[in-house]
Amino acid sequence: MGEVFRAHDAVLDRQVAIKVLHRQLASDRGFVDRFRREARAAAGLSHPNIVNVHDWGSVDGIYYMVMEFVRGTSARDVLLEHGVLAPAQAADVLLQTLSALEHAHRQGIVHRDIKPENVMITRDGVVKVADFGLARAYADAQITEAGTVTGTVQYLSPEQLQGEPADPRTDLYALGVVAYELLTGRVPFTGETPMAIAYKHLHEKVPPPSSRNPAVPRSLDGWVSSMTEKQRELRPESAAEARRDLATEARSLPSAPDLATLVPDVAVIPAPAFDDDDETGRATTITIARVRTKKDKRRRRLRWGLGLLTTLAVIAGGAYAAWFYLLPRDTVVPDVVGLTTREAERQLEDAGLVVRVAKGRHSPTVVDGVVLSISPRADTRLTEGERVVIVPSLGHAPVEVPDLIGATLARAKTLLRGADLRPGKVSHAYSATFDEGQVMRQSVAPEEEAPFQSEIRLVVSDGPAPVPVPDVTGKPAGAATSALEDAGFVMQIAEEHSDDVPAGKVIAQEPQPDRQLQPGETVSIVVSLGPPTFPVPNVVGMTQGAAVAELQDLGLAVEVIELPGATGDLTVASQLPIGGNVVRVGT
């Protein structure tokens, strides 16, 4: 992307690093706009594990960033110098990097290009992540060729390779690959072309680091595996969660030298001193001449005598060394069974023996990293310099992962415990294939092996994705039924009389329109029967009071006409409409 210079900030009297971007990037309008936004966002990050951005801008079309000057080296240089890091050292680098990512992700910034070159280690052992914001600006530059993916292919996540948007879990995948490299000295996938490497990222599982470096404990194997899951929803949800998981595992790791010991103490050569009175600015040179005297002769004789004594001392020391180191001496093999491999090596070397650590074997009772056996056996008398072989335990043998797909969550947990595994984090997702509550994905495929008592992450179906209920109020019953069934709902129909809604149309529905329901759930509608009608009863012969009460109870309006000359208890002589005629409420 450009060149980096070390410079002096005259205002604040400090050393800074200036990243000057290539001129060809300045010709890309999209990059320039993105650079401004991302530089402003990156400048807002303030965290002890992030290389601070002090300033940014452009001069004559040249864009630059003024950043904190880190006195140290990159994780890449450390790997080139030392090959691999001890598990505790690697965990320290990863924990500090995750702290930086946690802070950036909370500010909405995804790095997108985590790799050893962008992870700096200071002389004090502090990890600092560089180039926040630049990766995204460069990825969006219009000068990128169509159909290509920006970034270092060895660390790109499957979703980046497939052109999907990056999110915080994209950085976690890249850091998982970096973790593998710190522990083994090499990246998990190699190939003759970037396309070949990308194919492996998409289709192959990152191998456990212990398969290349037996010193890596199985607990770190599981952590690297979770970070490099192909499906991002199976990775830790955040950098904070990944950091908590790693911190738990790091507490049981063997101690190792501090990170500061890995960083060379590079001296900065100061500028030459100038004579204040020399207006030309040239360095002042002082020549010292020495005159020879008789004291010099005495000094030469003294030096000759000291040289002779030194020669005699060397001869005597050589004779003693020959007796001490060349003549064979006996020693006894100490009993180191049950000790850690490191402690066993120390005791055997203190006894003058050469130690070879065998490949190791699994044991159901002895934890990983503890000596199972030694050959020759303890208390055997050997000559110093002879070789002994220790066999470390690899812990419990890996176990086969059961097939959990389609099982309920409770059943899946039972199967895992029965297979000497533990249920891990449970995520949820909608599925049109699996019923609600069924396991639809598992972090380790069925019949593959996983470390004893390791966690298996599960994704459980929440059933089909919910859809909004359509509004069918006022529609004909047939049209309403078609609309609801097409949306995947089950119909429940009721009928009611209505003076306001014509017969055959929907009066009401439950749930209300736009409510989110899953396909297969029930929607109830009420269809109008129109105004209520019924045959009028025959009340001829009934008393006036009884007849009026019966007709009013049916919702009819009663008009009474008394015939001339009627006296006493009046009874109905006739009615209109006559009994049996169909009428409606209110007639």
Side-chain angles (χ1 to χ4, degrees), residues 12 57 72 77 80 131 138 173 190 209 213 234 242 246 290 339-340 368 456 474 502 511 556:
L12 297 178
D77 293 330
L80 291 175
D131 278 0
Y138 188 67
Y173 182 92
T190 58
N213 181 4
L234 293 177
L246 180 58
R290 190 178 66 170
L339 301 179
T340 64
D368 184 23
I456 305 298
L556 299 173

Side-chain angles (χ1 to χ4, degrees), residues 130-151:
D131 278 0
F132 273 102
L134 285 179
R136 180 174 181 182
Y138 188 67
D140 288 349
Q142 295 175 2
I143 62 172
T144 304
E145 296 179 7
T148 65
V149 178
T150 301

Side-chain angles (χ1 to χ4, degrees), residues 24-47:
Q24 62 179 352
L25 293 174
S27 63
D28 182 351
R29 193 72 253 164
F31 172 78
V32 171
D33 293 340
R34 174 64 70 183
F35 171 78
R36 289 171 177 165
R37 291 195 299 270
E38 296 300 328
R40 187 179 294 111
L45 295 177
S46 178
H47 191 273

